[in-house]
Amino acid sequence: MIEQGKISYKQLISMIVMTISPTAILYLPTITYKEAKQDGWISILIVTIYAFLVAYIIINLNKMFEGKTIIQYSGKIVGKYFGKVIGFLYCVLYIHLNATVIREFSEVLAGPFMPETPLLFFTIGIMLPSMYGVYKGIEVIARTAQIIFPIFLGAVIIIILLGISDMDFSRLQPILAEGYEPVLKGASRQISWFSQTIILTIITPFTNLPKKIGKMTYIAVILVSIMIILVNISIVATFGGEVELMNYPFLSFARYISAIGSLERLDSIIMFLWIGGVFIKIVILHYCGVIAISQLFSVKDYRIFSIPVGIILIILSNILWGSLTELKESIKMINVPYNTMVQAGIPTVLIIIEKIKRRFVHNEK
Amino acid sequence: MRNKVILSLCIILQISLLCGCWSKKELDEISILSGIGIDNTDDDKLLLTMQVILHREMKIESQSGKRGEERPTQNVEVIGDSLIDANRNFILQTGRRGYWSHVSVIVIGEELAKKGISPILDVLERDNEIRQRTLVLVAKGEAKEILMGETIDLEVIQAYNIKDMIRIAHNDGKSVKVDLRNYFLMSSKESYSSFIPGINIIQTNGSRNGNIELKDTGIFKENKLVGWFNETETRGLLWILDDIQSCITEVNYPKEKCNSVFIEVLRSRTKVEPVIKNNTLEKIVLNVSASGKIAQSNEYVDITKTKVISEIGKATEEVITKKMIGTIKKGKSLNVDIFGFGEAIYKKNPKLWKEMEEYWEDIFLSIPVEVNVNMEIKRTGLISKSKKDKGM
């Protein structure tokens, strides 16, 4: 069955925000702090510009080939064989990225909450509904995202507001103590998150009014950026230099909250946030992976890939990394350069080639 | 019909999934701890005093409405090589696992504090059961005696009493309040020094184990106890750190008669301002601005005159300045920068701090500190003048 569903703009914003933010909120503050120290928020501002650039390229590329995904049009730009290679790279990207996310997800549940439970248990637990969601199609995923997104955003803001009494904003000083170098380094660590607008290359054809898609994407990127800056500032203002040592600073932050007398131990909210948010992220990436594979092999009914890809994801997320340390190291060493190349590099190259081609063809006429 | 069968099957299947998690902790397998005392033994092991809440006692109490002879808590003493080991040895004595999430105070014995507490700190930060809001205290003497000590029975669980003592005393400017997060933040800062409120046991007639009281502040350098601040110095420390919520200050006024006036400080703000000229640190200026009211006056004070009030304000400024300078002197004598001067310099001029960092200990000893206090007396209470005694 060819995907027939259509998604609205609100749903598109929710999907983009929910693709970037859930893991970013939990893992990014430490990663950024290691490089940029208290200037993490400046790093995020810088990386937001980068996110706009990537989004701009992807949106323009999609505009040139309306109603088609990158798997379909890359062949038209660089020829059949290179097109297949690019398509394959995207399949690998979505599956590898998703395996990373699933592993991050189960590490959080296993680390601070249920240390004795095997990871496989969480992985299977999240993949079963994910396979079902992908099987049901884009509309179901988009609606789920639309429901969870406001709750997610609200919970993050409430947690930050409740913790405000313990913050000391002087911990954000001095600003730019070591110049721009560490800030840029901190920004470079975040680019694999902020270029995840790459999901647009797959889901654009399913939106119902393709002209407004650019504006909506920029709104989503700004929302993500504001949310992550807020999280980053509140964590640094609360924990100062300790952030560097923490595995999950936002979780520690929620645990530390004690407001209005007895309102404390809010880790359960984080648990809810985390499971709801990451589920959407996993489903979207799973869906993109399945669509990419089905179009790469020109299979009409994408749904037959839902379960096999799900099983591959379960296996990969469990065998690729031995421990949290290994996972973090590989994110730093492999994911950042690889994701940047595929998420930002390939669309840039494609758009340049296409532009030149079109001008050339135009001149010939 | 067929749908109903499938539906009920689904519901039955869910029961097997929803009944619990893998890492469950049953209530009859754990014992909830309220306070921990940590001492070291002669052979370099840790002696943990773990205060267990006996929930059965508490239940009896609430049912009968009467308080029994025994406390609803019991202290268990466990020896182990490390915190984790001792926590496991706890099972050998009780048959239950200690549950740390509700621990409200951790008392560190003086001997152990002098030897250094870095190894236990790592566990306290790493473990997922321990809350960062747990308060830390250092005992003057042995920690186990503190947990056995008597308090007035407002709160049935003794550790929670200690927690309340610190919280309220901190609000009144009598003691510092340090939880695990504060401690880690302090000790990882530029100065590597920190402070923890002290707790003491006083032997009185009539009580079995002696009463406990908050007393002094333990000063730590690189996680080792190096000295104590007494009550005045603790107050001075609170002034410097901008941590005063409210406090009572005694002032002699008029001076020639040596009579006291008590000022209640209601609001205060302290700013640490390093003065840097030509890329060298000249001095550190502490600017305090505070406001307060007269809590107790004497017959010589005529509150109706603004001149008198401003004079009392001036006298208060002097007293506060004296306290702060005394505290800084004591800090210098212990060579610990717990006042956050290093951090203030880093925030103002990070480049200069990089150069100074290595020699900071020497610079800290020689750097002049200037204290400017600005005290405003805004309220005078419900009456104006004090009554005169007839005899005088």
Side-chain angles (χ1 to χ4, degrees):
Chain A
M1 190 190 87
I2 301 164
E3 179 63 77
Q4 298 281 328
K6 287 285 177 201
I7 50 178
S8 74
Y9 292 116
K10 277 181 193 159
Q11 289 168 342
L12 185 72
I13 295 181
S14 322
M15 281 173 85
I16 296 172
V17 175
M18 297 306 281
T19 306
I20 304 177
S21 54
T23 41
I25 281 176
L26 222 62
Y27 283 95
L28 260 191
T30 312
I31 296 174
T32 319
Y33 194 88
K34 275 188 183 142
E35 301 292 342
K37 304 285 172 209
Q38 60 274 27
D39 295 326
W41 58 277
I42 304 176
S43 298
I44 298 168
L45 282 182
I46 293 171
V47 87
T48 308
I49 298 168
Y50 170 84
F52 274 123
L53 246 138
V54 174
Y56 178 79
I57 290 169
I58 293 169
I59 289 159
N60 273 309
L61 199 57
N62 284 334
K63 258 187 203 161
M64 291 177 178
F65 302 91
E66 238 167 65
K68 291 215 160 64
T69 68
I70 197 163
I71 315 293
Q72 290 166 326
Y73 61 63
S74 61
K76 288 191 178 169
I77 300 174
V78 289
K80 205 180 164 194
Y81 292 104
F82 279 113
K84 288 279 176 213
V85 171
I86 288 176
F88 178 72
L89 276 177
Y90 274 98
C91 296
V92 174
L93 170 84
Y94 285 123
I95 288 175
H96 181 245
L97 186 63
N98 205 1
T100 321
V101 173
I102 295 165
R103 181 56 179 260
E104 281 170 351
F105 162 79
S106 30
E107 282 290 350
V108 172
L109 289 194
F113 292 111
M114 292 171 253
E116 288 101 14
T117 316
L119 285 177
L120 192 65
F121 204 71
F122 303 121
T123 339
I124 294 175
I126 197 90
M127 282 318 288
L128 283 177
S130 171
M131 288 190 254
Y132 178 71
V134 171
Y135 196 80
K136 281 287 166 189
I138 186 95
E139 263 182 39
V140 172
I141 299 170
R143 282 193 192 135
T144 323
Q146 198 184 1
I147 293 168
I148 291 184
F149 168 62
I151 305 174
F152 182 84
L153 195 67
V156 170
I157 289 169
I158 286 172
I159 286 177
I160 290 174
L161 286 181
L162 287 176
I164 222 160
S165 60
D166 290 307
M167 295 180 199
D168 175 4
F169 291 101
S170 76
R171 296 206 174 99
L172 293 167
Q173 285 176 318
I175 293 166
L176 291 176
E178 319 245 328
Y180 275 100
E181 201 193 314
V183 177
L184 287 174
K185 262 190 187 164
S188 75
R189 293 266 181 278
Q190 308 173 356
I191 54 180
S192 73
W193 268 273
F194 276 81
S195 50
Q196 276 165 12
T197 42
I198 192 73
I199 59 158
L200 282 174
T201 55
I202 301 287
I203 62 171
T204 305
F206 308 125
T207 49
N208 54 10
L209 258 178
K211 270 175 194 160
K212 275 193 191 164
I213 208 164
K215 202 174 145 197
M216 296 301 141
T217 309
Y218 299 140
I219 292 176
V221 170
I222 290 173
L223 265 175
V224 170
S225 167
I226 291 173
M227 191 152 61
I228 295 175
I229 285 179
L230 280 180
V231 168
N232 199 302
I233 286 181
S234 50
I235 287 170
V236 174
T238 312
F239 292 110
E242 286 292 291
V243 179
E244 200 172 341
L245 311 174
M246 291 173 166
N247 277 337
Y248 315 106
F250 197 59
L251 178 70
S252 305
F253 177 72
R255 279 190 169 196
Y256 190 73
I257 287 172
S258 163
I260 331 173
S262 56
L263 191 60
E264 45 186 43
R265 302 177 190 205
L266 297 176
D267 7 359
S268 49
I269 292 186
I270 290 280
M271 185 89 149
F272 167 76
L273 257 181
W274 180 243
I275 294 178
V278 178
F279 171 66
I280 300 294
K281 181 165 188 164
I282 290 171
V283 172
I284 291 172
L285 291 175
H286 188 174
Y287 180 79
C288 290
V290 167
I291 291 282
I293 290 176
S294 74
Q295 291 184 346
L296 184 69
F297 297 111
S298 311
V299 178
K300 275 199 174 155
D301 189 359
Y302 75 96
R303 291 188 301 183
I304 55 162
F305 287 109
S306 163
I307 293 170
V309 170
I311 292 169
I312 290 172
L313 284 172
I314 293 176
I315 297 168
L316 280 183
S317 66
N318 275 285
I319 60 166
L320 278 184
W321 305 278
S323 64
L324 183 62
T325 323
E326 222 173 278
L327 175 68
K328 281 187 167 178
E329 221 165 61
S330 93
I331 288 176
K332 206 166 133 190
M333 308 298 286
I334 301 169
N335 279 33
V336 172
Y338 170 70
N339 289 3
T340 319
M341 192 189 82
V342 183
Q343 288 175 350
I346 290 182
T348 316
V349 172
L350 285 181
I351 202 170
I352 291 171
I353 294 176
E354 183 61 19
K355 285 255 173 190
I356 293 171
K357 246 168 116 181
R358 286 200 177 186
R359 180 159 295 175
F360 193 62
V361 171
H362 191 74
N363 286 350
E364 259 188 357
K365 276 178 186 172
Chain B
M1 187 59 209
R2 198 161 152 260
N3 278 347
K4 272 187 184 166
V5 172
I6 294 172
L7 197 72
S8 45
L9 255 175
C10 282
I11 293 172
I12 291 168
L13 274 175
Q14 274 190 353
I15 294 173
S16 66
L17 290 171
L18 292 174
C19 61
C21 301
W22 199 298
S23 314
K24 64 183 191 298
K25 289 191 179 94
E26 295 290 352
L27 210 62
D28 58 356
E29 282 168 11
I30 58 171
S31 72
I32 297 168
L33 305 172
S34 61
I36 303 286
I38 309 172
D39 291 299
N40 64 334
T41 58
D42 299 330
D43 48 349
D44 266 349
K45 285 188 173 178
L46 289 179
L47 170 68
L48 253 70
T49 313
M50 303 164 97
Q51 193 169 81
V52 181
I53 301 176
L54 306 171
H55 42 270
R56 194 136 46 93
E57 289 281 332
M58 293 192 73
K59 197 174 151 200
I60 291 167
E61 198 177 290
S62 61
Q63 274 173 352
S64 64
K66 260 195 299 186
R67 170 125 159 63
E69 281 298 293
E70 293 300 314
R71 285 185 167 282
T73 56
Q74 207 171 354
N75 293 336
V76 181
E77 282 172 29
V78 190
I79 292 177
D81 295 324
S82 66
L83 270 191
I84 305 270
D85 185 38
N87 194 28
R88 293 285 146 97
N89 289 346
F90 176 79
I91 306 170
L92 301 180
Q93 287 188 30
T94 58
R96 297 276 180 99
R97 259 169 142 210
Y99 189 64
W100 286 60
S101 275
H102 294 272
V103 170
S104 62
V105 289
I106 292 176
V107 186
I108 296 161
E110 194 172 5
E111 283 302 310
L112 179 67
K114 275 179 185 160
K115 254 184 61 192
I117 51 173
S118 322
I120 62 169
L121 288 175
D122 183 80
V123 183
L124 293 179
E125 197 173 9
R126 194 180 297 276
D127 198 278
N128 64 334
E129 241 179 46
I130 297 163
R131 302 278 158 174
Q132 296 294 299
R133 231 173 239 283
T134 312
L135 295 170
V136 197
L137 296 112
V138 55
K140 297 195 113 179
E142 280 185 317
K144 67 172 188 187
E145 281 176 4
I146 302 290
L147 284 180
M148 284 192 290
E150 293 279 312
T151 46
I152 186 162
D153 291 325
L154 284 174
E155 187 80 64
V156 283
I157 295 158
Q158 195 247 14
Y160 292 177
N161 247 325
I162 300 177
K163 179 177 134 194
D164 286 348
M165 275 158 73
I166 296 185
R167 213 184 63 221
I168 311 288
H170 175 249
N171 282 349
D172 280 357
K174 285 276 180 194
S175 161
V176 290
K177 178 180 153 195
V178 177
D179 64 17
L180 283 174
R181 175 196 71 137
N182 293 136
Y183 186 86
F184 294 131
L185 271 177
M186 276 191 285
S187 54
S188 70
K189 257 195 231 164
E190 276 70 17
S191 55
Y192 299 105
S193 46
S194 39
F195 51 84
I196 292 180
I199 190 161
N200 191 21
I201 198 146
I202 32 173
Q203 290 296 339
T204 45
N205 299 330
S207 68
R208 271 169 302 174
N209 301 317
N211 277 315
I212 50 175
E213 59 160 1
L214 288 181
K215 196 171 177 4
D216 301 353
T217 303
I219 305 298
F220 284 71
K221 190 176 186 183
E222 284 159 16
N223 295 329
K224 280 182 188 136
L225 181 71
V226 290
W228 295 90
F229 273 15
N230 65 22
E231 201 188 329
T232 354
E233 286 152 359
T234 304
R235 178 71 61 82
L237 180 66
L238 285 170
W239 276 110
I240 296 167
L241 293 171
D242 192 17
D243 206 12
I244 288 264
Q245 319 261 342
S246 154
C247 71
I248 302 285
T249 305
E250 188 185 353
V251 183
N252 283 335
Y253 187 87
K255 262 187 188 147
E256 55 275 13
K257 301 262 175 158
C258 273
N259 274 17
S260 328
V261 173
F262 290 86
I263 306 295
E264 187 179 347
V265 176
L266 297 172
R267 220 163 273 129
S268 94
R269 175 131 187 82
T270 309
K271 269 193 175 165
V272 181
E273 195 78 36
V275 177
I276 298 162
K277 267 185 193 164
N278 301 330
N279 217 18
T280 47
L281 183 68
E282 210 164 64
K283 60 184 174 186
I284 285 169
V285 182
L286 296 168
N287 289 317
V288 184
S289 58
S291 66
K293 68 167 200 181
I294 292 176
Q296 185 187 325
S297 174
N298 62 50
E299 54 201 278
Y300 303 105
V301 180
D302 188 359
I303 301 181
T304 48
K305 287 176 185 154
T306 41
K307 195 187 146 216
V308 176
I309 298 221
S310 71
E311 269 175 15
I312 294 176
K314 279 265 141 46
T316 322
E317 284 168 15
E318 271 168 38
V319 172
I320 295 169
T321 310
K322 224 180 184 176
K323 264 185 194 163
M324 287 167 77
I325 293 212
T327 309
I328 292 166
K329 235 180 223 163
K330 181 72 182 271
K332 280 185 175 175
S333 76
L334 295 171
N335 199 3
V336 282
D337 174 22
I338 51 173
F339 314 114
F341 291 166
E343 208 197 337
I345 298 166
Y346 171 65
K347 277 177 184 163
K348 180 132 194 204
N349 193 337
K351 270 187 196 143
L352 179 66
W353 170 251
K354 271 246 155 104
E355 289 165 27
M356 289 171 51
E357 204 175 352
E358 214 175 310
Y359 318 104
W360 175 239
E361 283 196 358
D362 302 325
I363 301 171
F364 173 68
L365 289 183
S366 59
I367 193 82
V369 181
E370 199 181 295
V371 180
N372 300 320
V373 185
N374 179 22
M375 181 84 198
E376 259 181 88
I377 305 225
K378 288 194 168 158
R379 285 178 198 96
T380 55
L382 297 180
I383 53 169
S384 55
K385 268 187 190 173
S386 288
K387 275 182 193 145
K388 243 181 202 167
D389 286 344
K390 254 190 179 172
M392 289 179 86

